[in-house]
């Protein structure tokens, strides 16, 4: 009897899978990455793959060997020829692809920029998907730092280069948050140093911070190179319980530091959700369920309500994702 | 050991003492590197069709060739340089610098003839710098052009920075212009190939290029002005680079300093794949022409089939090694 039930269940399962496979010809979507061999894109691809299983689309990932400005053009041409319905792309150039993207759109293909945009050429794509509203990054990072040091003591920032636009925006927001929010009145930012996103320079700058500011209790490194270098320094000096390091990091690079307790938590966004949102958005637009105009709101499973912002930009999450011992094994980028 | 064969042998060698027997006509026509390139081209088209059902579409293949038309055009003139016994690795960088200057001039709304003069003029100057160093100072062309390759690219970055320079709407879209059913860049490439093939194969000047590359000393004693020939070729390469740059900009709508980055390797690849002998004296425009088509067909075919770039690189590498072996084999069998 039990055997029969199991068999029936299996049969039902297969039936469901078959019907899901039938729906798989719904539409064809391709994601063109910046270049091959970049684990960050594997995560975005994972989001596409899982979403396509749910909503029934055919997905493929392609990418050129190098991230040079024109290297994606042959790939876009090929996808137009293949007759895909959606081209999602992490653009290598803000404008070298304008002509070929126009060609794709003229053929009725939905063009999405995912994880990066063609700034200044927004008219040449239909919509843009970014992981997070970058104005939240600064306040999120300050809150995480505060929670680690009991909202008290001297802190410093270890950034990328002095000109890095994203980092500078975040640092400005951190300073503003520290100055204006009374919750952080006992936290004092004593220095901002620049490791130029090079491991050696970041290590040297971190060492210098430790000797110049003996009372330092925390370092925020809003760059993946900086946080890894900073964590390595406190780990080898054995002072992780005195100086807390956090910032923006890649789970794959930070996993060991989190597991051995050097870094209790750090943040980033989920590239996986970008692929997930892009697939659901494409499905909605192609099937007439979502109107691609500024201000439209729609629901995406597990992400909640998404709003199309100015210039047709969408964010997958309002706040940064915090990685710690409990969840870090779930992320592989 | 009978006497008869020896006697026969001696008679034969006596009659043909001065020259080896002439090669049969079919060998002269068919046993040459271009044949291999042609066979590979046919195979590649067939393979492309097998890999993806979307590939065998003549419109698509012609349109895709516009993506490499600029570098192919440069490969034609580079073939002449290599046959003359030199090499020029700077054209891709020269193209980028000239294109940046051209687009920069256009951004001031200057009259078109001034912009074109600036573009072509810069190509001419870059060619002149190459020839001054190589012919004037007698430096090896491979070292000089590796130097200018870096220098021209660097200057382009100084002028353009990391930003792209855009050109006016009316200038964009040469690849969308159809002439005689062909996209304009394809047609320019074909016409250039015919003109250069005529120059190289049918004129005294063309014979002199071969002789310069085969044995420069002998050529000088034969009264050929080898230095002048080489100088003209380097200048022509510079000018062609600037023309290629103008086509490139029209196709992209904008230009950055990294235009055609790494293109020099593709050009050399086209020449080698077409059977041009790297040490000079051998090669044809037909070979480079076929090789340019071959490379475009191969990469388009594999990209259309969504093959990984790593696979594409491996296939290209194997083809190049294969063609070099074949070229050397054929040239060693057919006396110099």
């Amino acid at each position: 009897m039990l055997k029969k039930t199991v068999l029936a269940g299996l049969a039902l399962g297969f039936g469901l899978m078959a019907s899901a496979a039938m729906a798989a010809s719904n539409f064809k979507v391709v994601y063109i990455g910046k270049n091959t061999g970049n684990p960050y894109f594997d995560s975005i691809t994972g989001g596409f793959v899982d979403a396509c299983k749910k909503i029934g689309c055919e997905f493929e990932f392609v990418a050129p060997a190098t991230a040079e400005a024109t290297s994606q053009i042959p790939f876009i041409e090929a996808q137009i020829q293949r007759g895909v319905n959606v081209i999602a792309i992490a653009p290598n150039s803000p404008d070298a692809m304008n002509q070929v993207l126009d060609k794709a759109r003229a053929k009725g293909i939905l063009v999405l920029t995912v994880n990066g945009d063609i700034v200044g050429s927004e008219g040449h794509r239909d919509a843009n998907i970014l992981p997070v509203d970058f104005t939240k990054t600064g306040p999120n990072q300050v809150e995480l730092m505060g929670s680690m040091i009991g909202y008290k003591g001297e802190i410093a920032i270890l950034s990328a280069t002095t000109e890095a636009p994203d980092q500078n925006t975040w640092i400005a927001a951190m300073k503003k948050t520290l100055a204006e929010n009374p919750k952080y009145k006992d936290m004092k930012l004593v220095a901002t140093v620049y490791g130029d996103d090079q491991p050696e320079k970041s290590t040297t700058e971190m060492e210098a911070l430790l000797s110049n500011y003996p009372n330092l209790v925390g370092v925020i490194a809003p760059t993946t190179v900086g946080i890894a270098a900073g964590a390595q320094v406190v780990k080898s000096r054995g002072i992780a319980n005195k100086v807390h390091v956090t910032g923006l990091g890649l789970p794959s690079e930070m996993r060991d530091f989190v597991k051995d307790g050097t870094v209790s938590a750090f943040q980033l966004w989920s590239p996986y959700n970008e692929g997930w949102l892009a697939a659901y958005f494409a499905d909605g637009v192609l099937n007439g369920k979502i109107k691609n105009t500024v201000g439209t709101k729609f629901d995406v499973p597990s992400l909640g309500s998404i709003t199309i912002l100015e210039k047709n930009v969408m964010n997958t999450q309002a706040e940064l994702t915090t990685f710690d011992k409990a969840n870090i094994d779930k992320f592989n980028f | 050991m009978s006497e008869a064969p020896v006697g026969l042998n001696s008679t034969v060698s006596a009659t043909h003492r001065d020259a080896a027997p002439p090669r049969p006509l079919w060998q002269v026509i068919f046993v040459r590197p271009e044949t291999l390139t042609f066979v590979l081209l046919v195979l590649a088209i067939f393979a492309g069709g097998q890999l993806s059902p979307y590939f065998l579409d003549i419109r698509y293949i012609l349109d895709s060739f516009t993506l490499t038309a600029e570098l192919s055009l440069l490969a034609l003139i580079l073939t002449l340089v290599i046959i003359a016994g030199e090499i020029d690795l700077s054209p891709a960088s020269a193209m980028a610098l000239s294109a940046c200057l051209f687009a920069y001039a256009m951004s001031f709304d200057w009259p078109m003839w001034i912009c074109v003069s600036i573009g072509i003029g810069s190509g001419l100057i870059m060619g002149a710098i190459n020839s001054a160093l190589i012919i004037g100072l007698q430096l090896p062309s491979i070292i000089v052009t590796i130097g200018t390759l870096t220098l021209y690219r660097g200057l382009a970055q100084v002028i353009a920075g990391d930003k792209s320079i855009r050109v006016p709407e009316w200038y964009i879209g040469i690849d969308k212009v159809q002439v005689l059913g062909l996209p304009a860049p394809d047609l320019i490439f074909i016409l250039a190939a015919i003109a250069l093939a005529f120059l190289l194969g049918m004129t005294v000047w063309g014979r002199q290029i071969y002789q310069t590359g085969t044995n420069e000393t002998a050529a000088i004693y034969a009264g050929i002005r080898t230095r002048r020939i080489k100088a003209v070729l380097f200048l022509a390469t510079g000018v062609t680079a600037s023309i290629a740059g103008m086509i490139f900009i029209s196709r992209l709508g904008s230009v950055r300093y990294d235009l055609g980055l790494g293109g020099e390797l593709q050009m050399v690849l086209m020449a080698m794949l077409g059977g041009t002998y790297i040490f000079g004296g051998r090669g044809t425009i037909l070979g480079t022409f076929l090789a340019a088509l071959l490379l475009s067909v191969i990469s388009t075919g594999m990209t259309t089939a969504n093959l990984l770039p790593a696979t594409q690189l491996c296939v290209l590498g194997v083809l190049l090694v294969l063609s070099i072996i074949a070229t050397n084999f054929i040239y060693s069998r057919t006396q110099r």
Side-chain angles (χ1 to χ4, degrees):
Chain A
M1 191 61 211
L2 180 69
K3 207 171 177 182
K4 260 192 178 163
T5 323
V6 171
L7 277 176
L10 276 177
L12 187 67
F14 278 123
L16 282 175
M17 275 168 70
S19 62
M22 300 276 276
S25 51
N26 185 347
F27 63 93
K28 288 200 275 186
V29 52
V30 65
Y31 184 47
I32 305 174
K34 280 181 184 290
N35 55 339
T36 49
N38 189 334
Y40 188 85
F41 289 109
D42 293 345
S43 198
I44 297 179
T45 303
F48 270 111
V49 169
D50 291 352
C52 271
K53 271 185 205 144
K54 285 265 193 329
I55 57 185
C57 43
E58 254 178 75
F59 172 75
E60 282 204 73
F61 172 79
V62 291
T66 59
E68 174 256 320
T70 57
S71 60
Q72 288 169 321
I73 294 175
F75 289 82
I76 303 170
E77 293 273 5
Q79 298 312 320
I80 298 172
Q81 177 71 8
R82 290 175 68 86
V84 299
N85 307 93
V86 182
I87 291 177
I89 183 166
N92 280 339
S93 157
D95 51 16
M97 283 162 294
N98 288 356
Q99 309 311 316
V100 64
L101 290 180
D102 283 350
K103 183 177 169 186
R105 295 175 69 219
K107 293 258 160 82
I109 298 172
L110 183 70
V111 175
L112 308 175
T113 48
V114 176
N115 189 60
D117 199 6
I118 41 178
V119 179
S121 313
E122 286 89 352
H124 298 272
R125 49 90 174 137
D126 292 297
N128 168 231
I129 289 166
L130 289 178
V132 69
D133 174 4
F134 282 154
T135 59
K136 300 282 178 61
T137 309
N140 278 184
Q141 291 264 285
V142 170
E143 170 56 31
L144 179 65
M145 183 84 258
S147 71
M148 291 163 81
I149 58 173
Y151 303 98
K152 205 165 68 187
E154 291 186 357
I155 60 166
I157 294 172
L158 170 60
S159 183
T161 62
T162 48
E163 294 100 34
D166 287 345
Q167 270 78 11
N168 285 349
T169 318
W170 300 332
I171 292 171
M174 287 179 204
K175 287 181 177 162
K176 193 161 174 274
T177 310
L178 286 168
E180 291 174 3
N181 193 332
K183 187 180 182 186
Y184 309 118
K185 63 177 168 28
D186 293 331
M187 287 163 67
K188 194 178 165 224
L189 180 67
V190 291
T192 302
V193 295
Y194 300 90
D196 292 352
D197 265 353
Q198 293 167 3
E200 309 79 25
K201 178 130 198 285
S202 301
T203 305
T204 319
E205 291 293 339
M206 182 70 187
E207 303 265 9
L209 273 181
L210 293 174
S211 26
N212 292 345
Y213 302 96
N215 298 326
L216 207 62
V217 292
V219 174
I220 305 177
T223 158
T224 59
V225 179
I227 187 174
Q232 187 58 51
V233 169
V234 294
K235 184 184 176 179
S236 39
R237 289 200 179 189
I239 52 170
N241 54 348
K242 190 181 160 284
V243 181
H244 299 269
V245 174
T246 189
L248 301 178
L250 285 170
S252 57
E253 290 176 6
M254 299 302 292
R255 185 166 290 123
D256 292 344
F257 294 121
V258 169
K259 290 203 165 171
D260 67 17
T262 308
V263 172
S264 58
F266 65 96
Q267 295 174 317
L268 201 66
W269 40 84
S270 162
Y272 177 91
N273 287 344
E274 295 178 67
W276 178 269
L277 171 59
Y280 272 96
F281 175 74
D283 179 52
V285 170
L286 292 178
N287 293 319
K289 286 178 285 183
I290 299 171
K291 207 158 158 258
N292 182 20
T293 46
V294 176
T296 304
K297 282 185 199 303
F298 57 97
D299 282 316
V300 175
S302 86
L303 293 183
S305 178
I306 301 287
T307 311
I308 301 177
L309 310 169
E310 273 307 298
K311 293 184 177 171
N312 296 61
V313 177
M314 280 159 277
N315 295 130
T316 56
Q317 54 196 98
E319 314 271 327
L320 293 172
T321 305
T322 302
F323 303 96
D324 54 22
K325 257 187 196 149
N327 68 0
I328 192 154
D329 279 333
K330 286 192 240 158
F331 301 92
N332 57 0
F333 58 90
Chain B
M1 284 286 170
S2 72
E3 287 293 307
V6 177
L8 194 62
N9 268 349
S10 54
T11 12
V12 170
S13 55
T15 15
H16 296 287
R17 179 168 295 152
D18 296 329
R23 295 167 67 209
L25 188 63
W26 70 269
Q27 271 198 16
V28 176
I29 295 175
F30 291 110
V31 181
R32 47 195 303 158
E34 294 90 334
T35 316
L36 177 73
T37 318
F38 182 72
V39 170
L40 286 174
L41 178 61
V42 174
L43 285 178
I45 293 173
F46 181 73
Q50 291 295 305
L51 279 174
S52 166
Y54 305 101
F55 175 72
L56 287 180
D57 171 352
I58 185 69
R59 196 71 265 149
Y60 174 55
I61 294 176
L62 287 175
D63 280 350
S64 296
F65 186 75
T66 61
L67 301 178
T68 45
E70 301 92 1
L71 294 182
S72 305
L73 185 66
L74 275 171
L76 293 176
I77 194 90
L78 181 65
T79 305
L80 302 191
V81 176
I82 297 177
I83 292 174
E86 300 289 343
I87 184 92
D88 190 346
L89 294 176
S90 70
S93 296
M95 175 175 80
L97 176 53
S98 162
C100 284
L101 287 168
F102 176 65
Y104 199 55
M106 278 183 107
S107 68
F108 290 113
D109 281 329
W110 287 345
M112 197 55 194
W113 67 269
I114 295 186
C115 304
V116 171
S117 312
I118 289 175
I120 304 275
S122 64
L124 206 58
I125 292 171
M126 286 184 271
I129 294 174
N130 280 342
S131 36
L133 292 170
I134 295 162
I135 297 145
L137 297 182
Q138 296 284 307
L139 298 170
S141 54
I142 187 155
I143 306 298
V144 168
T145 57
I146 285 177
T148 52
L149 155 102
T150 319
L151 173 69
Y152 297 159
R153 181 75 66 189
L155 284 175
Q157 196 172 3
V158 168
I159 290 167
D162 283 335
K163 297 239 173 349
S164 34
I165 310 173
R166 295 187 199 192
V167 291
E169 276 306 312
W170 66 264
Y171 187 75
I172 300 173
I174 192 174
D175 53 321
K176 306 281 191 303
V177 178
Q178 303 281 331
V179 186
L180 307 171
L182 290 170
D186 293 15
L187 188 71
I188 294 172
F189 171 68
I190 292 170
L191 292 179
I194 293 172
L196 289 178
F198 174 79
L199 178 86
L200 187 64
M202 308 281 192
T203 64
V204 174
W205 213 72
R207 298 311 309 168
Q208 292 184 343
I209 294 179
Y210 280 111
Q211 283 154 5
T212 304
T214 307
N215 188 335
E216 194 175 354
T217 317
I220 291 169
Y221 281 121
I224 297 171
R225 295 167 134 159
T226 61
R227 286 157 63 102
R228 179 183 292 183
I229 285 176
K230 289 179 179 181
V232 168
L233 286 176
F234 280 111
L235 288 175
T237 309
V239 170
T240 314
S242 59
I243 294 171
M246 290 176 190
I247 301 174
F248 220 132
I249 301 181
S250 176
R251 184 160 68 76
L252 294 183
S254 65
V255 56
R256 278 207 323 183
Y257 78 92
D258 65 351
L259 185 82
L261 192 65
E264 52 281 340
L265 286 185
Q266 273 196 55
M267 294 172 210
V268 175
L269 183 64
M270 285 175 198
M272 298 296 102
L273 213 48
T276 303
Y277 191 52
I278 193 72
F279 298 115
R282 300 252 182 178
T284 57
I285 290 295
L286 176 67
T288 307
F289 178 80
L290 291 171
L293 296 187
L294 174 64
L295 280 183
S296 169
V297 163
I298 289 175
S299 62
T300 306
M302 291 196 287
T303 309
T304 312
N306 282 356
L307 287 185
L308 286 175
T311 320
Q312 303 196 14
L313 291 179
C314 292
V315 171
L316 289 180
V318 168
L319 278 183
L320 184 60
V321 172
L322 199 75
S323 79
I324 285 172
I325 294 173
T327 304
N328 273 293
F329 184 76
I330 291 166
Y331 285 155
S332 65
R333 289 304 159 98
T334 61
Q335 82 294 339
R336 291 179 64 95

